[in-house]
């Protein structure tokens, strides 16, 4: 058995946001010493931008083809996605096809994304709550800001997360930039409950454009602007979840499960 680990992320062009991937890479190498660890990125646009800057960024398919040429027999793929959305399903499908090719791998196992069970959601919620700035007063609201997708069934994990975090702390909520619940579904409740201040924390692996522009930007349509327009103070936190070791550990547990399924 010649085994490899393939870490797959959407990607980012911001070196600052990329620190989250560096942290995950370091944690993975620590947890699996001596294993072959490779990276791939699912976003075609981000791969093109990185290539224009002279940085190598390959697709999961290219990464798998290379591993196949190098005669690896088993691959565990870890999707660094938050939920099992469109990209995750595309990755699963293509990874499974690689496992079927003649003369190729014996086995390819794709791990689950971050929020794949109630336990994952509760662990993520606890890890995020522990990272809320210590100066926050109990009456002040905290919003975990996810990506979301109104047209995908997995969008429901954000409503589930909102329920789970709300039971841990009634002034902590989950909302998304492109799914349900959105800011407009949550903000009236925050205002009604008498918060003076709202903390925004990314529920995304990296703090990329959605976080810097849609969430924390100075434009009139950003969450920060909408919150300030409601008369509340707003403090955006620009740290992707991948930078928190406690969250990275949940992803690594999913990788451990995938590795344990590999049969020599
Ligand atoms: Co997006």
């Amino acid at each position: 058995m010649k085994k490899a680990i393939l870490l797959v992320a959407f990607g980012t062009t911001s070196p600052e946001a990329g620190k989250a991937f560096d942290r995950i890479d370091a944690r993975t190498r620590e947890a699996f010493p001596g294993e072959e660890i490779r990276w791939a990125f699912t976003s075609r646009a981000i791969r093109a931008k990185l290539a224009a800057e002279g940085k190598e960024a390959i697709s999961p398919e290219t990464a798998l083809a290379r591993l196949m040429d190098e005669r690896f027999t088993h691959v565990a793929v870890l999707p660094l996605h938050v939920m099992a959305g469109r990209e995750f399903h595309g990755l699963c499908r293509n990874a499974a096809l690689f496992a079927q090719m003649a003369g190729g791998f014996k086995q390819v196992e794709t791990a689950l994304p971050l929020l794949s069970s109630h336990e994952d959601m509760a662990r993520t919620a606890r890890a995020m709550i522990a990272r809320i700035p210590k100066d926050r007063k109990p009456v002040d609201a905290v919003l975990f800001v996810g990506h979301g997708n109104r047209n995908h069934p997995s969008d429901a994990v954000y409503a589930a997360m909102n329920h789970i975090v709300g039971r841990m702390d009634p002034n902590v909520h989950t909302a998304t930039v492109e799914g349900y619940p959105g800011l407009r579904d949550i903000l009236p409740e925050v205002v009604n409950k008498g918060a003076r201040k709202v903390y925004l924390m990314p529920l995304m692996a990296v703090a990329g454009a959605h976080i810097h522009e849609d969430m924390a930007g100075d434009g009139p349509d950003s969450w920060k602007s909408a919150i300030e327009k409601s008369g509340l103070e707003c403090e955006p936190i620009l740290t992707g979840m991948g930078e928190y070791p406690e969250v990275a550990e949940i992803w690594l547990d999913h990788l451990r499960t995938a590795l344990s399924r590999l049969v020599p």
Side-chain angles (χ1 to χ4, degrees):
M1 165 144 119
K2 191 178 170 189
K3 193 167 55 170
I5 290 169
L6 179 61
L7 304 178
V8 179
F10 177 76
T12 182
T13 52
S14 144
E16 185 61 25
K19 280 198 297 194
F21 295 149
D22 298 341
R23 293 292 295 270
I24 291 173
D25 184 70
R27 295 279 311 135
T28 311
R29 286 177 201 283
E30 236 172 77
F32 305 98
E35 299 284 6
E36 185 65 28
I37 297 167
R38 309 268 176 102
W39 280 83
F41 301 96
T42 53
S43 166
R44 190 182 292 266
I46 283 173
R47 290 197 309 264
K49 273 191 210 160
L50 289 170
E53 291 168 17
K55 293 173 192 153
E56 200 198 45
I58 57 175
S59 68
E61 293 74 21
T62 300
L64 286 165
R66 282 188 192 168
L67 288 167
M68 206 162 103
D69 284 352
E70 293 170 42
R71 295 185 160 271
F72 282 86
T73 57
H74 294 71
V75 186
V77 179
L78 177 64
L80 295 168
H81 297 108
V82 173
M83 53 89 135
R86 209 161 39 85
E87 283 180 40
F88 168 77
H89 287 286
L91 176 62
C92 277
R93 207 161 65 224
N94 286 357
L97 289 170
F98 266 91
Q100 289 171 25
M101 286 182 200
F105 301 115
K106 285 214 175 83
Q107 198 182 351
V108 180
E109 284 289 321
T110 304
L112 290 168
L114 182 70
L115 304 178
S116 296
S117 67
H118 175 263
E119 198 204 335
D120 292 338
M121 290 190 254
R123 277 178 80 186
T124 303
R126 282 194 297 270
M128 294 287 288
I129 286 172
R131 293 287 179 160
I132 294 171
K134 299 297 170 225
D135 63 356
R136 175 230 174 186
K137 296 181 186 69
V139 69
D140 290 333
V142 180
L143 265 57
F144 296 157
V145 183
H147 190 290
N149 177 350
R150 282 195 189 238
N151 301 312
H152 196 282
S154 294
D155 198 44
V157 300
Y158 295 103
M161 266 304 275
N162 188 38
H163 173 77
I164 289 166
V165 298
R167 288 184 56 149
M168 292 180 183
D169 180 328
N171 292 324
V172 179
H173 309 269
T174 297
T176 64
V177 289
E178 286 177 16
Y180 176 83
L183 179 65
R184 64 171 171 271
D185 302 303
I186 300 288
L187 190 54
E189 188 186 334
V190 168
V191 172
N192 284 341
K193 281 181 159 176
R196 290 282 187 78
K197 185 170 175 177
V198 180
Y199 295 82
L200 299 174
M201 296 172 68
L203 191 71
M204 299 184 200
V206 300
H210 281 303
I211 295 304
H212 284 269
E213 290 155 30
D214 305 337
M215 184 189 96
D218 290 320
D221 298 327
S222 77
W223 287 34
K224 181 170 168 270
S225 298
I227 289 163
E228 287 172 349
K229 235 176 276 165
S230 303
L232 306 179
E233 200 186 323
C234 180
E235 185 174 328
I237 288 138
L238 303 174
T239 308
M241 281 194 291
E243 291 189 50
Y244 301 140
E246 318 83 79
V247 177
E249 203 51 36
I250 303 169
W251 265 302
L252 291 183
D253 278 344
H254 293 184
L255 176 58
R256 285 183 184 99
T257 304
L259 284 163
S260 73
R261 287 197 303 255
L262 296 178
V263 182

